[in-house]
Amino acid sequence: MKKYFRIGLDVDDILFSCNEYAVELANREYGFEPPMTIEEIQSWGKTGRRTDVLLDYYQKESFVKNQPLLPGARQFVEELSRRAEVFFVSAIPPKLMGIREEQLSEAFPMVPGKNMILGFRKELVNMDILLDDGGHNISSSSSAYPVLMRKPWNRHMTGCISVNNYDEFLTFLDILMNPMAYQCEGGTENKVLALIGPSGSGKTELMGELMKTCGAVRAKSYTTRERKGGEEEDAYHFVTPEEFFRLEQEGAFFETTRYAQNCYGSMIKDIDDVLAGGNHAVMAVDICGGIALKRAYKKRAALIFAERPKEELISSVLDRRCPREEKIKRLVSLDTELRNEEFCDFTVRNSEDLRKLMTKI
Ligand SMILES: Nc1ncnc2c1ncn2[C@@H]1O[C@H](COP(=O)(O)OP(=O)(O)OP(=O)(O)O)[C@@H](O)[C@H]1O
Ligand SMILES: Nc1nc2c(ncn2[C@@H]2O[C@H](COP(=O)(O)O)[C@@H](O)[C@H]2O)c(=O)[nH]1
């Protein structure tokens, strides 16, 4: 069967451990006290911090030769190869390209050598989907769907399609390849109504409307962000970053995301309790939350895109009572988020549209 999708996979920290392995070697070589952790890696290139020593490892032959294969990487590539044509897209210095080629052929014999694209100009690579952990590679990608693999060093990335692991990526691929299996339709069953859209698009307003007019009940999520001026006290469970990370470590969340440098997460029990109580569950999520909801609830999840003219979105963010830095991040991600409409089941412009939609579903 012809495989229609071309998927480009970054290699470092997608298939082989890179930053984590370098941190391990650096701690051994330099005896850092306290030991260096991957949480300290906050961006690419030299930063004037102790993590700069890591950059030397990436140039070493012995480093590339010994990078450990990440758990599940082989099965992931095998699975992808069954569904699509897989390419490796790896930024590697020219002198190390031969070693990378050997490393990839040995670990992934199912991918032909001609599908290795090695070099630093990733922005020229035009795949259907690119999976990469480098925020700069995602922002500059010419691929149709750049997907970010969430790692500590790309937490600043906002509004883009991102996944936390191989399973989430496979779900995203499935949604693209079999959209009809996920398309929300009418029926009597209560739904999970997920409002999606850029900052200021009216998600909170529409959520209030759904609660008032359709008896929908909000599944409240968790966030580490500060309550914004004028926001209701129970808009979220407002928690400290420490509390959020504790819950995350305990596996309490069924999905989490990062937005404008803050953490957000929701719990499946909160949604299921609303459904079990005989109501529609409603929540506002970013596109990553939308994908996670489709993974869990398939057709029962209605992704509703809140559309609003761009000028109004900008004006709404400028008026938001929150730190200036946060406003900038929200504005920068507007265009990326507008593109996410294509993954939603429905688009609404106002409460009138929403009321009409609710009579259909
Ligand atoms: N269609 C609309 N027309 C005019 N004003 C609107 C519209 N939708 C929302 N607003 C106003 O814009 C502001 C932002 O709306 P809202 O908080 O609902 O957006 P949001 O998508 O939840 O934003 P964020 O993700 O930033 O929290 C609010 O003051 C709201 O009253
Ligand atoms: N994936 C998830 N996204 C969430 C969740 N709670 C909120 N959000 C989305 O984050 C951004 C920012 O929210 P804001 O209230 O600070 O404007 C927005 O797109 C929300 O819809 C969640 O639990 N999971």
Side-chain angles (χ1 to χ4, degrees), residues 96-235:
L96 301 178
M97 284 179 180
I99 296 166
R100 173 118 303 170
E101 190 273 325
E102 273 172 36
Q103 177 195 40
L104 288 169
S105 322
E106 193 185 318
F108 307 106
M110 62 296 239
V111 176
K114 65 179 180 175
N115 286 13
M116 291 182 198
I117 303 175
L118 308 183
F120 284 92
R121 299 294 305 276
K122 285 192 183 184
E123 77 279 10
L124 300 176
V125 178
N126 181 355
M127 294 281 149
D128 292 310
I129 310 179
L130 174 74
L131 177 63
D132 204 302
D133 64 311
H136 54 296
N137 293 326
I138 294 299
S139 307
S140 65
S141 177
S142 46
S143 293
Y145 301 105
V147 178
L148 181 77
M149 178 66 92
R150 285 278 173 198
K151 297 282 178 182
W153 48 90
N154 60 40
R155 278 195 185 133
H156 59 286
M157 294 294 287
T158 294
C160 58
I161 302 163
S162 69
V163 294
N164 293 293
N165 50 50
Y166 296 145
D167 276 351
E168 289 184 7
F169 182 77
L170 289 168
T171 304
F172 173 70
L173 180 63
D174 201 34
I175 292 173
L176 275 186
M177 295 181 88
N178 307 303
M180 293 320 288
Y182 294 87
Q183 173 69 45
C184 179
E185 289 153 4
T188 51
E189 214 176 30
N190 283 311
K191 304 281 186 312
V192 182
L193 308 170
L195 291 156
I196 295 184
S199 193
S201 55
K203 300 181 295 293
T204 312
E205 194 122 319
L206 294 169
M207 188 152 60
E209 193 77 24
L210 284 169
M211 289 158 73
K212 226 174 13 191
T213 58
C214 308
V217 176
R218 186 176 60 195
K220 206 185 338 173
S221 53
Y222 292 70
T223 183
T224 59
R225 86 151 156 74
E226 299 273 307
R227 220 174 108 217
K228 66 181 173 187
E231 189 171 23
E232 282 176 21
E233 261 178 52
D234 72 341

Side-chain angles (χ1 to χ4, degrees), residues 197-207 225 228 231 236 259 284 306-309 312-313 316-317 320 330 349-351:
S199 193
S201 55
K203 300 181 295 293
T204 312
E205 194 122 319
L206 294 169
M207 188 152 60
R225 86 151 156 74
K228 66 181 173 187
E231 189 171 23
Y236 283 102
Y259 191 98
E307 189 186 83
R308 211 176 159 197
E312 289 182 29
L313 292 174
S316 183
V317 174
R320 189 184 169 97
R330 287 171 186 269
R349 274 153 222 90
N350 47 42
S351 19

